[in-house]
Amino acid sequence: MEIIVPLIAATLCVWGLIKRINIFESFVEGVKEGMRTVVFIAPTMIALLLAVGMLRASGLLTWIAETIRPAAEAVGFPAELVPMGLLRPVSGSGASAILLGIYEDYGADSFLAKCASVVAGSTETTFYAVTMYYSAAGITKIRHTLVSALLADFTAIVLSVVTVSLFLS
Amino acid sequence: MAYVFGAMIAGSLAFSLFSGNAEALSEGMMESAESAVTLLISISGMLCVWSGFMRIAKDCGLIDRLSRLCAPLLRRLYPDVDVESDAFRYIAMNISANLLGLGNAATPLGLNAMKELKKQNPTNVASDSMLTFVLMNTASIQLLPTTIAVLRKSYGSQQPFDILICVWLTSALALTAGLVSAKLLNRRKAWRSSSRLSPRRCASGG
């Protein structure tokens, strides 16, 4: 699987040469666009990552997770997945850390590990993606994007438990 | 966005004062500012390299071909976007790259798609197509969650890919939930603004 990325790169180069395109110039032109994009999205990204970092450092996220826990248990939702669900939309690395923690504590083939893996595999770092894509287009009024995106994340967390119980246990 | 940003920062401060770990907060502030810049530098490498290769793909006419392949399905999701436009081409490529699990390649394509969509909508308000597109990128739609499988295997999983059906079902339904809710919210707002606009229209007409 690791070979796929260099393979694509090489295929593109060979194809370009066959089509008699100056692939070096094309590549450099693309890198220029990439550079410009980075500079353009950087300020927004720094602002948002700062806010997310503060949210985590203040302990507010952990506190919310603890508050939701009894409610989650009451409806039969595994409480260990609550921190994962809360962290997943705001921090990719934070969610990965929780995922690995679950693998270590309960085993990679446990029910919890499967649920957490499904959550990780069917969601993205929502806040990061929303910020990045909209800042590239200079959009400041995002309307109901965040509501719908978070609803999708919530659906994914609930369904991870449902599908794993249906198909894998 | 300003409200989300403000709420996140004010909420963090309020909570850290309340729970007495203001020190951790100021430390976290410095750390996250630092890691934000590190992250940007580390993604910029991949972003530039993939932008370069994707530019070759575009000059080869590969993007055209792929977007024609995806057109029947995507046309329904993006009724406002012309199939022959660059915006449509980039959307098609971004989604194909996401499906193949090439997140690094998908990002520059997605950013280009947003820039092209912006040309059709030169305001600072997100258009319906932008909304749909961002939602498709906040939901993970890859066919093979390889990273997770590798992680599970390294922690001793016997069948790291046994979650495949669950991942497909979950991500498909989650994306549907996101898109349907966006449509519904859209309709409600359109209805509200049209009922608000009509008296004004009458007034200016009279």
Side-chain angles (χ1 to χ4, degrees):
Chain A
M1 214 53 208
E2 278 76 24
I3 199 71
I4 193 159
V5 172
L7 195 69
I8 291 173
T11 314
L12 284 174
C13 288
V14 173
W15 196 337
L17 286 174
I18 292 171
K19 287 212 148 187
R20 302 197 164 275
I21 287 161
N22 188 340
I23 53 168
F24 186 73
E25 228 161 70
S26 290
F27 185 83
V28 170
E29 206 49 52
V31 173
K32 263 188 222 163
E33 278 169 29
M35 264 328 225
R36 250 177 263 137
T37 310
V38 172
V39 172
F40 196 68
I41 64 172
T44 326
M45 296 296 285
I46 290 172
L48 195 92
L49 290 168
L50 174 76
V52 166
M54 285 176 74
L55 212 56
R56 287 179 61 197
S58 71
L60 187 61
L61 272 180
T62 335
W63 181 78
I64 296 174
E66 284 305 313
T67 320
I68 297 177
R69 183 184 277 262
E73 270 167 354
V75 294
F77 185 85
E80 290 81 356
L81 285 179
V82 172
M84 170 94 186
L86 277 177
L87 213 54
R88 181 67 194 146
V90 291
S91 161
S93 54
S96 299
I98 293 183
L99 182 68
L100 297 184
I102 290 177
Y103 287 166
E104 219 166 75
D105 296 346
Y106 303 91
D109 282 329
S110 63
F111 177 76
L112 271 176
K114 283 175 187 167
C115 292
S117 308
V118 174
V119 173
S122 53
T123 52
E124 279 286 336
T125 318
T126 299
F127 276 88
Y128 173 83
V130 169
T131 316
M132 186 166 63
Y133 285 118
Y134 278 132
S135 63
I139 299 290
T140 48
K141 299 219 160 82
I142 65 167
R143 292 163 64 204
H144 45 275
T145 310
L146 212 50
V147 179
S148 292
L150 291 177
L151 183 82
D153 288 342
F154 180 74
T155 315
I157 293 154
V158 173
L159 282 177
S160 73
V161 180
V162 175
T163 52
V164 172
S165 340
L166 275 178
F167 296 108
L168 295 177
S169 55
Chain B
M1 214 58 216
Y3 290 109
V4 177
F5 184 68
M8 281 167 98
I9 286 182
S12 314
L13 178 69
F15 186 79
S16 70
L17 289 176
F18 169 72
S19 66
N21 59 351
E23 207 170 301
L25 181 67
S26 62
E27 222 168 81
M29 231 174 131
M30 290 301 129
E31 250 167 49
S32 55
E34 212 179 289
S35 68
V37 176
T38 321
L39 177 83
L40 273 168
I41 291 171
S42 65
I43 67 164
S44 66
M46 271 325 271
L47 204 75
C48 288
V49 167
W50 275 111
S51 298
F53 284 121
M54 287 306 144
R55 182 58 185 248
I56 296 179
K58 193 188 170 201
D59 292 349
C60 288
L62 191 69
I63 292 188
D64 279 353
R65 254 183 233 201
L66 239 160
S67 80
R68 239 168 276 147
L69 214 67
C70 305
L73 181 75
L74 289 179
R75 198 181 292 163
R76 277 161 212 228
L77 284 166
Y78 300 93
D80 308 342
V81 183
D82 181 16
V83 183
E84 289 299 315
S85 66
D86 272 347
F88 194 88
R89 291 193 185 108
Y90 282 123
I91 291 172
M93 278 297 280
N94 165 272
I95 288 162
S96 322
N98 271 328
L99 280 172
L100 295 173
L102 304 166
N104 286 322
T107 307
L109 292 163
L111 295 172
N112 280 342
M114 285 300 281
K115 285 181 202 158
E116 291 296 327
L117 287 175
K118 168 82 170 180
K119 285 182 193 162
Q120 302 175 1
N121 169 46
T123 61
N124 65 342
V125 185
S127 67
D128 289 349
S129 298
M130 286 179 178
L131 235 154
T132 310
F133 183 70
V134 171
L135 283 178
M136 288 186 88
N137 273 284
T138 57
S140 166
I141 47 168
Q142 59 173 312
L143 294 173
L144 290 174
T146 41
T147 321
I148 290 154
V150 169
L151 285 178
R152 279 187 77 196
K153 200 165 167 51
S154 72
Y155 276 81
S157 171
Q158 298 298 313
Q159 290 172 294
F161 274 113
D162 62 356
I163 53 165
L164 215 53
I165 300 172
C166 300
V167 171
W168 288 345
L169 257 178
T170 306
S171 52
L173 288 173
L175 177 61
T176 314
L179 291 177
V180 168
S181 74
K183 272 266 159 0
L184 291 177
L185 285 167
N186 215 1
R187 193 170 297 168
R188 201 196 62 183
K189 283 204 178 134
W191 179 79
R192 213 194 267 162
S193 64
S194 71
S195 61
R196 210 189 300 144
L197 270 177
S198 46
R200 203 183 302 161
R201 214 181 291 143
C202 292
S204 67

